[in-house]
Amino acid sequence: MALNLDTYFGGRRMSVAARLRSALFGGLGLVVAAGGMNAGLSQQAEAAAPAACAALQAKYPALKGKTLVNAINPHTPGYETIDPNDPTKYIGFDIDLGEAIGECLGFKLTYKAVTFASLLTTLQAGQADIVISDIYATKDRAKAADFITYLKVYDGVLVAKGNPKKITGIDTSLCGAVAAENTGYVEVPLIQALEAECKAAGKPAPEILLFDNNANCIQAILAGRADTYINDVNTVDGAVKAYPDKLEKATAVTLPYSVGIAVPRNNIEFRDAVMAALTEIQKSGLQVEMMKKWNLPAEQLETPKLVLAD
């Protein structure tokens, strides 16, 4: 059974460029020309560019006019996935956010679709310039990339309708249960760490089935191969919305992480430019508007901070 993408992607597709202009220019009482997502800023919009983004383009001139590669794992509805109306394009909050950052700094983005586990190695290999793909910023991952955070992390616990295994979170209720998870996700070691506690209680350790994307994890529960899938609460809520008669959210858990944009380590100029643009996007209210568009709770917004390796 395939995921119902139309259910996941409720709401019409909107132009990032138009939203950026409305948020950044509208507050200044300026009139700008609307344009398509891939058209870039029009001449009229460029002439009316807000002082903040104009200043950033002047400060970081090497980025203006460039085309950069964003490595994504396009299987997280609401964040980044294939456009059901046009399989050559991607849509989602992270896609909109990346386009807005590019608009502010004067560069365009193309996309390289890879498995989640390959996101950072693709960046390290120089096959991508940036990663904006619902990736949690951790100290361990910061050994491979510098991170700029933009969202707080709340995980949901997806289970079959009725929660037959009575799972209550990343705790001993998972003893003997089968968890479907994405390869490389932070939830994997957290579940694995329960083994000793389960054994001490005389119970079997949790079993983990690893997949390369969210859709396969959800399908594992629908097929009866897994008991739970623990991941971003918005992804879990989307799955419940798509299959209300078959799935439910058992609970939500707070993880000590943030969602971050990954950039090459020690490329301080690029890192600072992205962080500055993100800050202006948040100040303008555009990030909040994009979060509303993609049904992300406003309380998940996080003021940008750096997560770097020790």
Side-chain angles (χ1 to χ4, degrees):
M1 184 185 302
L3 286 174
N4 185 336
L5 296 178
D6 289 334
T7 301
Y8 266 84
F9 303 130
R12 65 187 178 90
R13 184 179 181 185
M14 301 180 71
S15 165
V16 172
R19 280 180 167 267
L20 180 64
R21 293 166 191 142
S22 175
L24 293 181
F25 307 153
L28 299 175
L30 299 174
V31 178
V32 298
M37 180 181 296
N38 298 319
L41 289 170
S42 68
Q43 290 182 350
Q44 184 178 359
E46 287 176 347
C53 288
L56 289 178
Q57 291 184 25
K59 185 175 181 179
Y60 303 103
L63 293 172
K64 191 168 183 178
K66 293 293 183 65
T67 297
L68 305 184
V69 178
N70 181 12
I72 60 172
N73 178 234
H75 300 286
T76 306
Y79 290 91
E80 49 275 317
T81 194
I82 297 170
D83 186 341
N85 298 315
D86 185 347
T88 67
K89 297 179 180 179
Y90 300 106
I91 60 172
F93 170 76
D94 284 335
I95 302 300
D96 284 1
L97 182 64
E99 296 281 348
I101 291 171
E103 289 281 354
C104 190
L105 292 173
F107 64 78
K108 296 180 181 179
L109 284 173
T110 58
Y111 299 92
K112 185 176 182 65
V114 299
T115 64
F116 183 85
S118 299
L119 287 172
L120 296 184
T121 55
T122 299
L123 184 71
Q124 286 181 300
Q127 297 174 2
D129 303 291
I130 194 168
V131 175
I132 311 176
S133 191
D134 191 31
I135 183 170
Y136 296 175
T138 69
K139 283 289 187 181
D140 186 58
R141 287 175 178 166
K143 296 174 184 177
D146 291 346
F147 284 90
I148 305 152
T149 69
Y150 58 97
L151 290 175
K152 298 174 185 176
V153 170
Y154 297 93
D155 264 8
V157 179
L158 185 68
V159 295
K161 193 73 175 181
N163 192 10
K165 292 295 182 73
K166 307 303 178 188
I167 295 170
T168 58
I170 304 178
D171 53 33
T172 54
S173 67
L174 288 176
C175 296
V178 179
E181 293 297 332
N182 284 291
T183 301
Y185 269 31
V186 299
E187 291 82 3
V188 173
L190 296 178
I191 296 171
Q192 291 172 331
L194 293 170
E195 181 177 359
E197 196 172 351
C198 289
K199 288 184 177 180
K203 299 177 181 180
E207 180 183 348
I208 300 177
L209 298 181
L210 293 176
F211 298 96
D212 286 332
N213 60 66
N214 294 302
N216 288 341
C217 291
I218 294 167
Q219 291 298 324
I221 299 179
L222 291 170
R225 297 177 58 202
D227 302 304
T228 187
Y229 175 41
I230 303 171
N231 191 19
D232 179 276
V233 69
N234 305 297
T235 300
V236 169
D237 286 343
V240 174
K241 183 178 179 181
Y243 300 98
D245 297 329
K246 298 181 179 181
L247 300 173
E248 67 179 68
K249 180 172 67 178
T251 187
V253 294
T254 302
L255 297 185
Y257 308 119
S258 301
V259 185
I261 297 169
V263 297
R265 287 194 68 193
N266 300 320
N267 187 338
I268 297 174
E269 183 174 3
F270 181 51
R271 186 184 73 199
D272 288 351
V274 172
M275 188 168 185
L278 177 60
T279 298
E280 294 304 326
I281 288 167
Q282 288 193 355
K283 286 180 181 179
S284 74
L286 178 59
Q287 180 168 331
V288 170
E289 288 301 312
M290 290 189 293
M291 290 171 70
K292 288 179 181 177
K293 173 187 172 183
W294 295 104
N295 299 313
L296 305 185
E299 59 268 23
Q300 278 193 264
L301 186 144
E302 178 171 285
T303 300
K305 71 174 186 292
L306 296 177
V307 177
L308 310 174
D310 291 330

